Amino acid sequence: MKKIKGPAVFLAQFAGDEAPFNTLDSLCKWFASLGYKGVQLPAWDKRIIDIDKAAESKTYCDEIKGIVNSYGLEVTEIASHLQGQLVAVNPAYDKMFDGFAPDNCKNNPKKRTEWAVQQLKNCAIASKNFGLTVHGTFSGSLMWHTMYPWPQSPKGLVEMGFKELAKRWLPILNTFDENGVDVCYEIHPGEDLHDGVTFERFLKATGNHKRVNILYDPSHFVLQQLDYLKYIDYYHEHIKMFHVKDAEFNSSGKTGVYGGYQDWQDRAGRFRSLGDGQVDFKSIFSKLTKYDCDVWAVMEWECCIKSPEQGAKEGAPFIQKHIIDVTQKSFDDFAGGTIDENQLKNILGL
């Protein structure tokens, strides 16, 4: 069994315009002082990384690694959630998702998709330049607006939707394959890949492409009321990335899974800082370790109550406490473990 690596942190929610969150250098210095050992880089934030430049220049990637390594940290993965989202956008969401696109692609869905596809391909090359073998992203969503079937979905809609989603992703997946990098889709409400069934449908639509894998984040399963422990039993072979994020679900007579269009703090399902929610991380770390999942434990901080600074300070020791030092011996080794064939035959009556 492999020991889970960590603690690490996804920088996306912490990057800002004020020190120490405004440069990669100062972010790394701050997180290293809190006990983190790795950082996950958001591909859309040029304060941290220019993904186009990273695809063009290994020297540039080495410079970024040098900054990170100088604080005793490692680059764990690159993540492209915003660009991945734009690979597949239903027209119902065009205006809202235009905010993720550069100005020259706004109000032009075709150009926006082409830009997103190229961004993902650049992420594949950049990951290779960093010496990374996994990459995190979103699938995008063509069908999410039909998630609750009213009016009834026409026959063939879901099949056509996954066929089109696979068509858009296959050239990207092939580029990742050429660069020896797995694509790990964060299974997430709002995405076409939001549970086990949808992951299986997409995997099948891509011809079981070997680069289709999973970024496991239990918080999104809590909000869906999905069994996040049994999920590991089903899909552990595909789990190549791990976001450590907490959540809770407290339904009432007024609100449930759908949230009533309320702000996060008023919803039944809401994200919490590590240790403040309901996720059974002890069992999660045990299962991932048991199944030999070779992953970094990366804190993705989101909380509707606690400050990010406090969440970050509490996050590193929380993760460290849950990482299991894998045993190299059986608990009953003391009883003797030498092989004596004659003794075995006697026991079996042979």
Side-chain angles (χ1 to χ4, degrees), residues 223 248-252 254-272 304:
L223 269 57
E248 63 184 2
F249 187 82
N250 303 299
S251 61
S252 70
K254 289 189 175 183
T255 186
V257 170
Y258 302 111
Y261 302 110
Q262 298 178 99
D263 291 335
W264 277 110
Q265 64 265 29
D266 299 317
R267 289 172 175 255
R270 57 188 191 172
F271 299 124
R272 299 299 309 275
C304 58

Side-chain angles (χ1 to χ4, degrees), residues 29-164:
K29 181 179 180 180
W30 192 71
F31 278 109
S33 73
L34 300 181
Y36 289 91
K37 298 178 181 178
V39 289
Q40 188 177 96
L41 308 180
W44 59 87
D45 196 327
K46 290 190 176 182
R47 291 170 298 193
I48 295 173
I49 184 173
D50 184 327
I51 205 64
D52 298 327
K53 193 173 179 180
E56 296 170 357
S57 171
K58 187 176 184 304
T59 300
Y60 171 72
C61 297
D62 289 340
E63 290 171 355
I64 291 180
K65 285 175 66 175
I67 293 171
V68 175
N69 295 161
S70 70
Y71 293 102
L73 301 170
E74 293 184 44
V75 176
T76 64
E77 303 99 357
I78 299 170
S80 62
H81 291 71
L82 300 195
Q83 293 101 319
Q85 181 71 64
L86 299 186
V87 170
V89 176
N90 187 278
Y93 302 104
D94 269 339
K95 295 297 182 184
M96 297 175 73
F97 281 133
D98 256 358
F100 294 169
D103 290 341
N104 66 340
C105 294
K106 291 177 180 177
N107 300 311
N108 189 334
K110 184 175 184 293
K111 187 176 181 180
R112 183 184 64 204
T113 299
E114 291 172 350
W115 173 83
V117 169
Q118 186 58 53
Q119 284 282 289
L120 266 295
K121 291 181 177 180
N122 288 350
C123 284
I125 300 168
S127 293
K128 181 181 180 181
N129 286 343
F130 273 94
L132 302 172
T133 58
V134 292
H135 176 81
T137 194
F138 277 157
S139 67
S141 49
L142 299 174
M143 296 166 282
W144 179 253
H145 67 299
T146 70
M147 178 269 299
Y148 196 87
W150 179 253
Q152 298 94 324
S153 299
K155 288 184 178 180
L157 177 72
V158 173
E159 291 76 11
M160 180 179 288
F162 277 102
K163 182 178 179 180
E164 175 62 25

Side-chain angles (χ1 to χ4, degrees), residues 148-192:
Y148 196 87
W150 179 253
Q152 298 94 324
S153 299
K155 288 184 178 180
L157 177 72
V158 173
E159 291 76 11
M160 180 179 288
F162 277 102
K163 182 178 179 180
E164 175 62 25
L165 191 66
K167 179 182 175 183
R168 297 189 187 195
W169 274 100
L170 276 170
I172 300 170
L173 289 165
N174 290 337
T175 300
F176 273 91
D177 190 33
E178 292 165 6
N179 288 277
V181 180
D182 288 320
V183 180
C184 301
Y185 296 94
E186 183 165 358
I187 308 302
H188 191 291
E191 307 301 311
D192 282 341

Side-chain angles (χ1 to χ4, degrees), residues 240-290:
K240 304 289 182 70
M241 290 178 63
F242 175 27
H243 272 176
V244 188
K245 188 167 77 170
D246 211 343
E248 63 184 2
F249 187 82
N250 303 299
S251 61
S252 70
K254 289 189 175 183
T255 186
V257 170
Y258 302 111
Y261 302 110
Q262 298 178 99
D263 291 335
W264 277 110
Q265 64 265 29
D266 299 317
R267 289 172 175 255
R270 57 188 191 172
F271 299 124
R272 299 299 309 275
S273 205
L274 289 184
D276 294 344
Q278 298 168 348
V279 175
D280 181 2
F281 284 107
K282 188 171 289 187
S283 294
I284 287 173
F285 275 79
S286 292
K287 277 186 177 286
L288 292 176
T289 302
K290 167 193 169 184

Side-chain angles (χ1 to χ4, degrees), residues 1 232-234 236 286-294:
M1 293 182 288
I232 299 174
D233 292 330
Y234 286 135
H236 57 89
S286 292
K287 277 186 177 286
L288 292 176
T289 302
K290 167 193 169 184
Y291 285 121
D292 212 18
C293 294
D294 188 11

